[in-house]
Amino acid sequence: MLSLGIDLPAVRHITDLVWFQGLARRMAAFFETVDVMLTPTVIHPAPQLGHYHVERVGADLAYARVLDSFAFTCLANVTGLPAARVPFGRTEAGLPIGVQISAALGREDLIFGLAGAMEGAGRSGALLLSYV
């Protein structure tokens, strides 16, 4: 994976940063009409051990799997939005399901309040969720 960064031309890096800044501005506009955004933490239940292991599957496949699995969480990562990941229920097989809560810059209060309420609901054991 290191080679992906080393081989990236500086112009491409700057272009990506500008795109991420534009995305951050679009998300700021989105949060003018929405308080919080809830998404899955990952797109599927927990994979087998080694699913992302570079030495087992190769750098290209491991990188593709990371991008695919964490499609929702990367939005907060690249835009700088505040976010929290909260355990929220289990699959029928007993695997944990997480939810990500994102909000506008400076609205961590909304995230912490909702995260606390959701975490409490998840601990009650009343939630059984499934991936569609």
Side-chain angles (χ1 to χ4, degrees):
M1 288 188 153
L2 179 62
S3 64
L4 294 172
I6 290 174
D7 295 338
L8 186 70
V11 170
R12 171 65 192 274
H13 177 68
I14 298 299
T15 301
D16 289 346
L17 290 177
V18 168
W19 191 86
F20 292 150
Q21 290 172 347
L23 181 59
R25 287 190 293 277
R26 289 190 297 277
M27 290 306 299
F30 171 76
F31 281 117
E32 288 177 4
T33 60
V34 174
D35 292 328
V36 298
M37 179 172 62
L38 296 177
T39 62
T41 299
V42 293
I43 63 168
H44 49 69
Q48 293 286 327
L49 188 62
H51 183 76
Y52 305 107
H53 196 285
V54 173
E55 292 175 7
R56 290 186 188 167
V57 301
D60 290 340
L61 182 55
Y63 182 67
R65 286 178 171 179
V66 166
L67 290 180
D68 182 50
S69 297
F70 299 98
F72 295 108
T73 57
C74 71
L75 182 60
N77 294 339
V78 300
T79 60
L81 290 171
R85 283 106 192 152
V86 179
F88 192 67
R90 296 196 172 271
T91 67
E92 290 178 2
L95 296 171
I97 295 177
V99 175
Q100 176 177 264
I101 307 164
S102 301
L105 290 174
R107 292 311 315 259
E108 289 85 353
D109 61 315
L110 292 175
I111 294 172
F112 288 133
L114 183 55
M118 292 176 75
E119 211 168 24
R123 271 196 302 270
S124 71
L127 300 171
L128 180 63
L129 305 174
S130 63
Y131 280 82
V132 182

